[in-house]
Amino acid sequence: MNFLTKYKLILASKSPRRKELLENARIPFEIRLKEVEETYPPGMIIHDVPKHIARLKAEPFQSLKEDEVLLTADTMVVLGTEILGKPKDRDNAFEILKKLSGAEHTVITGVHLKSNTKDHTFDQHTEVVFYPLTDKEINYYIDEFEPFDKAGAYGIQDWIGLCKVNGLRGSYSNVMGLPMERLYHELRDFTARLDRSNN
């Protein structure tokens, strides 16, 4: 991980999944939080929304030090042409999971890297297929795992991912909230560009 020895990675996210993924990859970082309203213009192409919100989350960080790299991200579940966000309440979680039952959906994470001189945005798509979910299974899942802070009302790393995912094409960690395989290489390339511009 020598490409990060000269830089301090700042994670601007409250997500315990993103924290866990970076820790598991042994990527050193610190968390720094600033509030931002996660909005996007009406009529924006759905698949562009996660990148837009990731950039939006970086806007409050205007004074980064020369050795700091900011990481912001937004993960979204898309079923057809519908964005399935974090559930508002239990009924909404049930409704979302009912829609995902037996269906294929796309998980998109937009990622934004920012320094005091450069920025870079990319996204990653993963296709996920669920087995059919019975009402009893949905109720069990909501009661036991309370997925109210998760886009699409589920976590790939818990019961629903272990028992009810029929197939997955693409990055598993992307569904958790950060496409680690892609992020590793993007971080390496981003810091290399910073090195070249600083020399």
Side-chain angles (χ1 to χ4, degrees):
M1 207 66 63
N2 56 2
F3 62 85
L4 275 177
T5 53
K6 290 190 290 185
Y7 298 97
K8 180 187 292 184
L9 184 65
I10 310 297
L11 173 65
S13 174
K14 292 183 285 191
S15 166
R17 271 80 56 188
R18 292 188 182 121
K19 178 177 180 287
E20 178 187 350
L21 287 166
L22 288 171
E23 287 173 343
N24 287 346
R26 303 287 177 89
I27 296 177
F29 68 98
E30 71 173 55
I31 293 174
R32 200 175 294 171
L33 301 175
K34 294 190 179 183
E35 291 299 319
V36 65
E37 191 176 355
E38 299 178 18
T39 59
Y40 56 91
M44 175 174 273
I45 297 169
I46 285 179
H47 287 194
D48 289 341
V49 171
K51 286 193 294 186
H52 171 80
I53 294 179
R55 284 191 293 265
L56 204 64
K57 289 177 177 180
E59 284 183 1
F61 296 86
Q62 294 300 323
S63 55
L64 293 169
K65 294 178 182 175
E66 192 172 312
D67 66 342
E68 291 179 337
V69 174
L70 179 72
L71 166 61
T72 56
D74 185 70
T75 301
M76 190 174 76
V77 172
V78 179
L79 179 65
T81 58
E82 184 181 3
I83 297 173
L84 301 177
K86 296 174 184 175
K88 300 177 185 70
D89 52 33
R90 194 188 191 288
D91 290 344
N92 188 218
F94 186 94
E95 179 188 354
I96 290 170
L97 290 168
K98 196 76 172 169
K99 288 178 179 178
L100 294 174
S101 173
E104 178 174 324
H105 61 275
T106 305
V107 179
I108 308 169
T109 300
V111 179
H112 187 66
L113 300 174
K114 178 179 178 177
S115 73
N116 64 343
T117 59
K118 296 185 182 300
D119 60 349
H120 174 60
T121 311
F122 65 92
D123 64 11
Q124 189 76 24
H125 295 217
T126 303
E127 310 300 325
V128 182
V129 184
F130 274 14
Y131 283 107
L133 293 160
T134 65
D135 289 359
K136 187 175 181 180
E137 287 171 331
I138 293 173
N139 283 319
Y140 164 79
Y141 180 67
I142 294 170
D143 290 341
E144 292 294 320
F145 295 91
E146 300 180 342
F148 304 112
D149 65 335
K150 298 176 177 68
Y154 79 92
I156 193 73
Q157 70 279 7
D158 59 32
W159 178 85
I160 212 162
L162 294 170
C163 300
K164 299 302 291 188
V165 168
N166 190 18
L168 184 148
R169 293 192 306 277
S171 166
Y172 175 88
S173 63
N174 184 52
V175 187
M176 283 183 70
L178 272 180
M180 291 304 301
E181 314 90 330
R182 176 87 178 272
L183 176 62
Y184 178 87
H185 294 92
E186 295 281 0
L187 265 174
R188 184 192 61 187
D189 295 346
F190 188 76
T191 54
R193 289 198 297 276
L194 290 178
D195 287 341
R196 288 195 295 272
S197 65
N198 291 334
N199 292 334

